[in-house]
């Protein structure tokens, strides 16, 4: 992959047409916000552009996704946003794994799968990079684009809480609000709004809370049974992974989620320089230093024990 | 009270000395952050200044309060911050109820108890006004002042979530970070960190959750028993009041907290133009449109019923 500047990335977008913008599986606010914002802007320039994700786009993002109806064209230029590796593509998006022309990402761990890449691991969110790209392109964004970008930034920063938030992140948020971003409504929807089913799910999941290593590791489990009993849907599990790490004294928070087919999906959140992405890499996963994920295809107890063992090793600074 | 400009408020601070800066009872991040920031800046100008609150300052704010040791002097100029009415003063601060020279506040409902007042009900937090005041005074703030102001802004906006957040709020946050505010650490401490006791308290309080008016009103109760059983302390109840309103479909969220001496303290959070401060005013309380509080001195069931009745009336737009 050839590393390029934002100006060069802008030129590639100006010069090409018939874009497909790829998102990772289980798309989050940053992936959806970045991809839809980019497609809206490309369309406003008279180009054709479709977002593509192998998984369903969560309906909670409908307030900006509804403005991007699918267009009919033969894809010519493939862009990926917020995609650290092609292993995170699913479904139809996989067909383009070795055809990505331009990769825009904020994961320092990006595997460099594209022809050209603009990667900055220090930026809060891919959406913040996308906004800088629009500035370089001298694009005046409208309310829907502003909402999409704002969604990406606020969801990937836990609403401006995380350490990747810079003064520039806040200034971008201010600019987005002036461009029409409905900040309070978006924040309410993303962070301060939960269904009764989600509340019930959280209550059930909290009953599984376990501590180890003198309270330094906290573990919770989201079982299929809890999902069914609570009536929760997939996106109701958002945010639950941050609960164990929030408990005082906890340095590693583990959330194990039972998927279909004997797969267990883990989210690992860490404090104090413990590298969550290193822990998850052992199991073929990845992510950021303080928040990463992976899957383990084993029986429940074995999967849990393997993860706990890896976390204890990381906690004690030993392999 | 004579309404003055920020420039006039700045001049009053320049011209006077031996300041006492009053905070309301049960001081929150905005009261503490505003008062301590102002005292630190006045002291940096060679003046004497003490913050004064009738209640204990929660130890969680120690990362900036520890830089303000009490000074020995006879108070000559009384300033109040984030204080909507003198009825919210407690303990020793009450002695100054009719002696407030300058009131700086962001409550539109401010009762005008001071000689001079700078009140702007549209600003996110009193701390945001305090920062504008420092700008007018051309004060370069240090890290501790930046941390205090940042704390005020982030706590009063639910971490930049609420509708009072403006583009300017985000720009002030950016400036504060550049002045040294430890944004991520503060946000983690204020929002993403809870004791096991607090987690246990939340679990117990969720068991009291009740809905009325077809799910439009949600009610929870923090009993003395739950406080004792969970081992929670006073500040562990912070944030709990926002839980009922977060549930989908809820327009009025009520949190009833049992205090000593047969007093029940209510926090009311509202959506959709329902005025929480109007509801609480009936019981001698007040606050903002979407978040207000009051006390009812009655037996538990009667107190709850009175509040529910008032909320139902507000919901149905009738008296």
């Amino acid at each position: 992959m050839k590393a390029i500047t934002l100006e060069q990335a802008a030129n590639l977008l100006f010069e090409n047409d018939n874009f497909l913008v790829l998102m990772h599986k289980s798309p989050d606010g940053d992936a959806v916000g970045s991809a839809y914002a980019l497609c809206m802007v490309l369309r406003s320039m008279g180009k054709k552009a479709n977002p593509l994700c192998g998984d369903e786009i969560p309906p909670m993002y409908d307030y900006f996704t509804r403005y991007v109806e699918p267009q009919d064209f033969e894809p010519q230029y493939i862009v990926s946003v917020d995609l650290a590796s092609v292993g995170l593509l699913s479904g139809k998006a996989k067909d383009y794994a070795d055809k990505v022309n331009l990769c825009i990402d904020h994961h320092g761990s990006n595997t460099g799968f594209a022809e050209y890449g603009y990667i900055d691991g220090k930026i809060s969110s891919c959406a913040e990079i996308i906004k800088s790209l629009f500035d370089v392109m001298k694009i005046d964004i409208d309310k829907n684009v502003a909402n999409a970008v704002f969604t990406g930034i606020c969801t990937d920063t836990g609403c401006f809480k995380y350490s990747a938030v810079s003064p520039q992140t806040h200034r971008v948020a201010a600019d987005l609000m002036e461009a029409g971003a409905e900040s309070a409504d978006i924040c309410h929807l993303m962070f301060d709004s939960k269904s009764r089913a989600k509340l019930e799910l959280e209550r059930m999941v909290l009953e599984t809370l376990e501590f180890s290593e003198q309270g330094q590791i906290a573990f919770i489990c989201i079982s299929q049974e809890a999902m069914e009993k609570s009536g929760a849907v997939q996106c109701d599990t958002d945010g639950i992974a941050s609960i164990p790490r929030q408990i005082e004294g906890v340095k590693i928070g583990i959330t194990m989620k039972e998927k279909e087919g004997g797969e267990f999906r883990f989210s690992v959140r860490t404090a104090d320089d413990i590298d969550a992405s290193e822990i998850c890499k052992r199991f073929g996963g990845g992510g950021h230093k303080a928040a990463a994920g992976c899957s383990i295809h084993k029986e429940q107890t074995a999967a849990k024990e393997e993860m706990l063992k890896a976390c204890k090793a990381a906690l004690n600074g030993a392999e």
Side-chain angles (χ1 to χ4, degrees), chain A:
Chain A
M1 186 174 74
K2 186 165 186 288
I4 57 172
T5 63
L6 270 185
E7 287 71 18
Q8 289 171 315
N11 284 335
L12 289 171
L13 297 179
F14 282 127
E15 289 160 8
N16 286 284
D17 201 349
N18 298 317
F19 293 89
L20 209 52
V21 183
L22 306 183
M23 284 163 269
H24 57 75
K25 62 184 176 183
S26 301
D28 58 6
D30 195 22
V32 181
S34 297
Y36 279 74
L38 185 54
C39 286
M40 284 190 262
V41 161
L42 289 169
R43 289 182 182 188
S44 76
M45 294 159 66
K47 296 174 186 284
K48 297 202 167 193
N50 276 334
L52 180 67
C53 184
D55 296 356
E56 194 204 354
I57 303 297
M60 68 196 293
Y61 304 117
D62 169 68
Y63 57 93
F64 61 85
T65 57
R66 72 179 126 160
Y67 298 104
V68 183
E69 293 287 336
Q71 291 182 326
D72 192 22
F73 62 88
E74 195 60 42
Q76 286 177 338
Y77 202 80
I78 316 299
V79 182
S80 70
V81 291
D82 196 41
L83 184 70
S85 90
V86 290
L88 296 166
L89 294 172
S90 61
K92 277 189 192 171
K94 273 188 188 171
D95 298 348
Y96 298 92
D98 59 353
K99 298 186 182 71
V100 181
N101 300 106
L102 172 61
C103 163
I104 301 169
D105 190 21
H106 75 124
H107 293 89
S109 62
N110 189 286
T111 59
F113 50 82
E115 184 184 2
Y116 297 103
Y118 183 84
I119 320 289
D120 190 339
K122 292 197 183 66
I123 306 292
S124 73
S125 49
C126 188
E128 187 179 335
I129 300 177
I130 294 284
K131 177 61 170 65
S132 301
L133 181 61
F134 294 161
D135 290 345
V136 165
M137 294 166 80
K138 301 197 189 312
I139 302 277
D140 279 328
I141 60 171
D142 66 15
K143 189 189 86 169
N144 297 329
V145 175
N147 278 340
V149 176
F150 192 93
T151 299
I153 295 176
C154 81
T155 53
D156 242 36
T157 59
C159 213
F160 305 97
K161 279 196 210 119
Y162 301 158
S163 56
V165 171
S166 70
Q168 177 63 8
T169 312
H170 279 291
R171 294 203 172 100
V172 170
D175 292 345
L176 292 169
M177 287 179 74
E178 280 169 354
E182 294 154 308
S183 152
D185 291 341
I186 294 172
C187 292
H188 179 72
L189 199 61
M190 295 296 131
F191 299 101
D192 281 348
S193 169
K194 49 179 85 171
S195 63
R196 288 201 202 186
K198 177 172 180 147
L199 198 71
E200 183 57 24
L201 179 68
E202 283 185 8
R203 215 193 294 201
M204 294 173 81
V205 166
L206 276 179
E207 282 169 15
T208 70
L209 180 64
E210 279 176 40
F211 294 95
S212 55
E213 302 295 290
Q214 295 82 47
Q216 294 179 94
I217 297 178
F219 170 94
I220 55 174
C221 177
I222 307 173
S223 65
Q224 285 283 356
E225 191 192 352
M227 292 294 292
E228 283 158 24
K229 273 197 184 165
S230 63
V233 293
Q234 199 48 45
C235 65
D236 287 332
T237 64
D238 288 356
I240 289 185
S242 63
I243 293 175
R245 235 298 278 129
Q246 290 176 1
I247 303 164
E248 227 167 51
V250 171
K251 292 184 178 166
I252 304 180
I254 308 167
T255 304
M256 177 166 97
K257 185 165 190 307
E258 186 181 6
K259 309 285 276 187
E260 279 156 31
E263 178 189 348
F264 290 92
R265 177 89 196 148
F266 288 88
S267 291
V268 179
R269 302 289 169 93
T270 52
D272 285 0
D273 271 354
I274 297 167
D275 194 328
S277 90
E278 283 298 319
I279 294 170
C280 291
K281 246 191 226 169
R282 299 184 185 201
F283 304 105
H288 301 278
K289 193 173 177 188
C294 62
S295 290
I296 302 182
H297 294 263
K298 292 218 169 176
E299 176 274 323
Q300 176 154 9
T301 313
K304 176 181 170 186
E305 288 308 319
E306 281 219 16
M307 176 51 76
L308 274 173
K309 199 176 148 194
C311 289
K312 285 175 191 173
L315 184 69
N316 300 315
E319 270 308 303

